[in-house]
Amino acid sequence: MLNLAATVLTAVDDGNAEGASQNFFQWLFGTSGFHPPSVKDFNPEALLFGGTILEFNRITFVRVVAAVVMIGIFWLGARRAKVVPGRGQAALELVLDFVRVQIAEEVMGAERARKYVPFLTTLFIAIVFFNITSVVPLLNIPGTSLIGLPIVMALWVYVMYLGAGVRKLGLGGFLKSSLFPPGVPWPIYLLLAPIEAIQVFVLRPATLALRLAANMIAGHLLLVLTFAASHYFLLEATGALKAVGAVSLTAGLAFTLFEIFVALLQAYIFTILAAAYINLAVEEEH
Amino acid sequence: MSPLLIAAVDPGGAKSEFNPILPTNYDLLWSTVVFVIIALLFMRYLLPKFQKVLDERAQLIEGGISKAEHAQAEAAAALEEYTAQLREARTEAAKIREHARQEAAQIVADGREKAIHDAERIAETSVKQIEAERQQAVVSLRAEIGSLATELASRIVGESLADDARQQRLIDGFLEELESSVKERS
């Protein structure tokens, strides 16, 4: 972490503070032609342990920031929790109630949901925080835009629903209820069982991870595209082309709002699907 | 590396690599602009409404709780009052009972005293009456016995004791003699 702090501070350490801030603004408003966003954004240079499995780069850093802020907010909220909620607590309770009522109880029913509410709440809030870094200045990239984090989360859901199914129905019962859904003539199982197997064991976790990562990657590219265009048109282009910059900046505003919406929506979809998969796994027949 | 990426990191674009921890300059600059706009809109227009609702809810809950606490306190006070009144009533009842008992005892004592008094009075009166009657009887007996004895004696002696004064003197002397002999005997 010291190395990291040193890296962050290098800009300030270069000469006096005035020079550093001048450097910063020179850099901030510097132009060198139009740079469209690229997948390189998702593979930034390493800050620490480059080339090893422990490589620490911008996106990992953003994740750490998001996690610290998330834990901080909820830790403070929980520490100050009272029967009569203040503004902050009421807002947090709104989020917790949303996951409990709109996701868990809606999908699984109140009785079954109780056991999984903590898991689903953690999942939802974590995804929201890792997504929302997409629109936070200085962070400017979703923590979930690198597939690793979505994979870890999808695997968590995978283990949860397989575990729930096996614990409820036993290994045989779970396989039977998942792969051989009742109500079809037996020769169909020759087709249906492999499809269901791929569905349950591969497609569900894979689509969870891919949907989240792809949405956040696309959102980030779209945002950066509007910002890059604004930068070029407003600062570099001349004459009437500057007006195009106003359009692209307005588009940036709209897409930022849209990105916030997508960040929440993807967290909602991920969580509601996790709830649905668990519910399917523990149901006798479906 | 694609030509575009090379363009991004070539000397002409060196300034876009200000610090590896920061996003690209255009990303940071314009996302900040957009973020500030959105944040202002949120803080100026949306959050106040939201906060109003949250504050109202907090007030509502607080009001409900304080109302319930008030009602509870009132009920406790009423209970306390009733208990006090009950205790007072019991004390008073005990006092009244005690008083009644004392009065009854007093009445009985008075009655007894009066009865004793009456009995004494009645006894005294009776004694007096008896005495009076005895006196009367003695007087009448004295007269009767005197005349009888005189008659008898005159018959025996054959002489009439006609002189009344003398006769009376004789009888009285006899009777006193008789009385004293009776007293000696008893």
Side-chain angles (χ1 to χ4, degrees), chain A residues 101-135:
Chain A
V101 177
Q102 298 297 320
I103 299 180
E105 292 182 356
E106 185 75 14
V107 173
M108 313 173 88
E111 188 59 34
R112 195 179 285 167
R114 191 176 309 157
K115 196 170 151 193
Y116 296 102
V117 165
F119 162 65
L120 295 171
T121 309
T122 311
L123 202 61
F124 179 80
I125 291 165
I127 295 174
V128 167
F129 272 88
F130 288 129
N131 284 354
I132 211 75
T133 56
S134 179
V135 296

Coordinates of all heavy atoms in Angstrom, one line a residue, chain A residues 101-135:
Chain A
V101 N -38.2 -7.4 0.6 CA -39.6 -7.5 0.1 C -39.7 -7.7 -1.4 O -40.3 -8.7 -1.8 CB -40.4 -6.3 0.6 CG1 -41.8 -6.4 0.1 CG2 -40.3 -6.2 2.1
Q102 N -39.0 -6.9 -2.1 CA -39.2 -6.9 -3.6 C -38.4 -8.0 -4.3 O -38.8 -8.4 -5.4 CB -38.7 -5.5 -4.2 CG -39.5 -4.3 -3.7 CD -41.0 -4.4 -4.1 OE1 -41.3 -4.8 -5.2 NE2 -41.8 -4.1 -3.1
I103 N -37.3 -8.5 -3.7 CA -36.6 -9.6 -4.3 C -36.8 -10.9 -3.6 O -37.5 -11.8 -4.2 CB -35.1 -9.2 -4.4 CG1 -34.9 -7.9 -5.2 CG2 -34.3 -10.4 -5.0 CD1 -33.5 -7.5 -5.4
A104 N -36.4 -11.0 -2.4 CA -36.4 -12.3 -1.7 C -37.8 -12.8 -1.5 O -38.1 -13.9 -1.9 CB -35.6 -12.2 -0.4
E105 N -38.6 -12.0 -0.9 CA -40.0 -12.5 -0.5 C -40.8 -12.6 -1.8 O -41.7 -13.5 -1.8 CB -40.6 -11.6 0.5 CG -39.9 -11.8 1.9 CD -40.5 -11.0 3.0 OE1 -41.5 -10.2 2.7 OE2 -40.0 -11.1 4.1
E106 N -40.6 -11.8 -2.7 CA -41.4 -11.8 -4.0 C -41.1 -13.1 -4.7 O -42.0 -13.7 -5.2 CB -40.9 -10.6 -4.9 CG -41.7 -10.4 -6.1 CD -43.1 -9.9 -5.9 OE1 -43.4 -9.4 -4.7 OE2 -43.9 -10.0 -6.8
V107 N -39.8 -13.5 -4.7 CA -39.5 -14.7 -5.5 C -39.7 -16.0 -4.7 O -40.2 -17.0 -5.2 CB -38.0 -14.6 -6.0 CG1 -37.6 -15.9 -6.6 CG2 -37.8 -13.5 -6.9
M108 N -39.3 -16.0 -3.4 CA -39.2 -17.3 -2.7 C -40.4 -17.4 -1.7 O -40.6 -18.5 -1.1 CB -37.9 -17.4 -1.9 CG -36.7 -17.0 -2.8 SD -35.2 -16.9 -1.8 CE -34.8 -18.7 -1.9
G109 N -41.1 -16.4 -1.4 CA -42.1 -16.4 -0.4 C -41.4 -16.1 1.0 O -40.2 -16.4 1.2
A110 N -42.2 -15.5 1.9 CA -41.6 -15.0 3.1 C -40.9 -16.1 3.9 O -39.8 -15.8 4.5 CB -42.7 -14.3 3.9
E111 N -41.5 -17.3 3.9 CA -41.0 -18.3 4.8 C -39.6 -18.8 4.4 O -38.7 -18.8 5.2 CB -42.0 -19.5 4.8 CG -41.7 -20.6 5.8 CD -41.7 -20.1 7.2 OE1 -42.5 -19.1 7.5 OE2 -40.9 -20.5 8.0
R112 N -39.5 -19.1 3.1 CA -38.2 -19.6 2.6 C -37.2 -18.5 2.4 O -36.0 -18.8 2.6 CB -38.5 -20.3 1.2 CG -37.4 -21.1 0.7 CD -37.7 -21.8 -0.6 NE -38.7 -22.8 -0.5 CZ -39.3 -23.4 -1.5 NH1 -39.1 -22.9 -2.7 NH2 -40.2 -24.3 -1.4
A113 N -37.7 -17.3 2.2 CA -36.7 -16.2 1.9 C -35.9 -15.8 3.1 O -34.7 -15.5 2.9 CB -37.5 -15.0 1.5
R114 N -36.4 -16.0 4.3 CA -35.8 -15.5 5.5 C -34.3 -16.0 5.6 O -33.4 -15.2 5.9 CB -36.5 -15.9 6.7 CG -36.1 -15.3 8.0 CD -36.9 -15.6 9.2 NE -38.3 -15.5 8.9 CZ -39.3 -16.1 9.6 NH1 -38.9 -17.0 10.5 NH2 -40.5 -16.0 9.3
K115 N -34.1 -17.2 5.2 CA -32.8 -17.8 5.3 C -31.8 -17.2 4.4 O -30.6 -17.1 4.6 CB -32.9 -19.3 5.0 CG -31.8 -20.2 5.4 CD -32.2 -21.6 5.2 CE -31.1 -22.5 4.9 NZ -31.6 -23.8 4.5
Y116 N -32.3 -16.7 3.2 CA -31.4 -16.2 2.2 C -31.3 -14.7 2.1 O -30.6 -14.2 1.3 CB -31.8 -16.8 0.8 CG -31.7 -18.3 0.8 CD1 -32.8 -19.1 0.9 CD2 -30.5 -18.9 0.7 CE1 -32.7 -20.5 0.9 CE2 -30.3 -20.3 0.7 CZ -31.5 -21.1 0.8 OH -31.3 -22.4 0.8
V117 N -32.1 -14.0 2.9 CA -32.1 -12.5 2.8 C -30.7 -11.9 3.1 O -30.3 -11.1 2.3 CB -33.2 -12.0 3.8 CG1 -33.0 -10.5 4.0 CG2 -34.6 -12.2 3.2
P118 N -30.0 -12.4 4.0 CA -28.7 -11.8 4.2 C -27.8 -12.0 3.0 O -27.1 -11.1 2.6 CB -28.1 -12.6 5.4 CG -29.3 -13.1 6.1 CD -30.3 -13.4 5.1
F119 N -27.8 -13.2 2.4 CA -27.0 -13.5 1.2 C -27.4 -12.6 0.1 O -26.6 -11.9 -0.5 CB -27.2 -14.9 0.9 CG -26.8 -15.3 -0.5 CD1 -25.4 -15.2 -1.0 CD2 -27.7 -15.7 -1.4 CE1 -25.1 -15.5 -2.3 CE2 -27.4 -16.1 -2.7 CZ -26.1 -15.9 -3.1
L120 N -28.7 -12.5 -0.2 CA -29.2 -11.7 -1.3 C -28.9 -10.2 -1.1 O -28.6 -9.5 -2.0 CB -30.7 -11.9 -1.5 CG -31.0 -13.4 -2.0 CD1 -32.5 -13.6 -1.9 CD2 -30.5 -13.7 -3.3
T121 N -29.1 -9.7 0.2 CA -28.8 -8.3 0.5 C -27.4 -8.0 0.2 O -27.0 -7.0 -0.4 CB -29.2 -8.0 1.9 OG1 -30.5 -8.5 2.2 CG2 -29.2 -6.5 2.2
T122 N -26.5 -8.8 0.7 CA -25.1 -8.6 0.5 C -24.7 -8.5 -1.0 O -24.0 -7.7 -1.5 CB -24.2 -9.7 1.1 OG1 -24.7 -9.9 2.5 CG2 -22.8 -9.4 1.2
L123 N -25.3 -9.5 -1.7 CA -25.0 -9.5 -3.2 C -25.5 -8.3 -3.8 O -24.8 -7.6 -4.6 CB -25.8 -10.8 -3.7 CG -25.4 -11.4 -5.0 CD1 -24.0 -11.9 -4.9 CD2 -26.3 -12.5 -5.4
F124 N -26.7 -7.9 -3.5 CA -27.3 -6.7 -4.2 C -26.5 -5.4 -3.9 O -26.1 -4.7 -4.8 CB -28.7 -6.5 -3.7 CG -29.4 -5.3 -4.3 CD1 -30.0 -5.3 -5.6 CD2 -29.5 -4.1 -3.6 CE1 -30.6 -4.2 -6.1 CE2 -30.1 -3.0 -4.1 CZ -30.7 -3.1 -5.4
I125 N -26.2 -5.2 -2.6 CA -25.5 -4.0 -2.2 C -24.1 -4.0 -2.8 O -23.6 -3.0 -3.3 CB -25.5 -3.8 -0.7 CG1 -27.0 -3.5 -0.2 CG2 -24.6 -2.7 -0.2 CD1 -27.2 -3.7 1.2
A126 N -23.4 -5.1 -2.7 CA -22.1 -5.2 -3.2 C -22.0 -4.9 -4.7 O -21.2 -4.1 -5.2 CB -21.5 -6.6 -3.0
I127 N -23.0 -5.4 -5.5 CA -23.0 -5.2 -6.9 C -23.3 -3.7 -7.2 O -22.7 -3.1 -8.1 CB -24.0 -6.1 -7.6 CG1 -23.5 -7.6 -7.5 CG2 -24.1 -5.8 -9.1 CD1 -24.5 -8.6 -8.0
V128 N -24.3 -3.2 -6.5 CA -24.6 -1.7 -6.7 C -23.3 -0.9 -6.5 O -23.0 0.0 -7.3 CB -25.7 -1.3 -5.7 CG1 -25.8 0.3 -5.7 CG2 -27.0 -1.8 -6.1
F129 N -22.6 -1.2 -5.4 CA -21.4 -0.3 -5.1 C -20.3 -0.5 -6.1 O -19.7 0.4 -6.5 CB -20.9 -0.6 -3.7 CG -21.5 0.3 -2.6 CD1 -22.7 -0.1 -2.0 CD2 -21.0 1.5 -2.3 CE1 -23.3 0.7 -1.1 CE2 -21.6 2.3 -1.3 CZ -22.7 1.9 -0.7
F130 N -20.1 -1.8 -6.6 CA -19.0 -2.0 -7.5 C -19.4 -1.5 -8.9 O -18.6 -1.1 -9.7 CB -18.7 -3.5 -7.6 CG -18.0 -4.0 -6.4 CD1 -18.4 -5.1 -5.7 CD2 -16.8 -3.3 -6.0 CE1 -17.7 -5.6 -4.6 CE2 -16.2 -3.8 -4.8 CZ -16.6 -4.9 -4.2
N131 N -20.8 -1.4 -9.2 CA -21.2 -0.9 -10.5 C -21.1 0.7 -10.5 O -20.8 1.3 -11.5 CB -22.7 -1.3 -10.7 CG -22.8 -2.7 -11.2 OD1 -21.8 -3.4 -11.4 ND2 -24.0 -3.2 -11.3
I132 N -21.5 1.3 -9.4 CA -21.7 2.7 -9.4 C -20.4 3.5 -9.5 O -20.4 4.7 -9.8 CB -22.5 3.1 -8.1 CG1 -23.4 4.3 -8.4 CG2 -21.6 3.4 -6.9 CD1 -24.6 4.0 -9.2
T133 N -19.3 2.8 -9.3 CA -18.0 3.5 -9.4 C -17.8 4.0 -10.9 O -17.0 4.8 -11.2 CB -16.8 2.6 -9.1 OG1 -16.9 1.4 -9.8 CG2 -16.9 2.2 -7.6
S134 N -18.7 3.4 -11.8 CA -18.6 3.8 -13.2 C -18.8 5.3 -13.4 O -18.3 5.9 -14.3 CB -19.7 3.0 -13.9 OG -19.7 3.3 -15.3
V135 N -19.6 5.9 -12.5 CA -20.0 7.3 -12.8 C -19.4 8.2 -11.7 O -19.7 9.4 -11.7 CB -21.5 7.5 -12.8 CG1 -22.1 6.8 -13.9 CG2 -22.1 7.1 -11.5

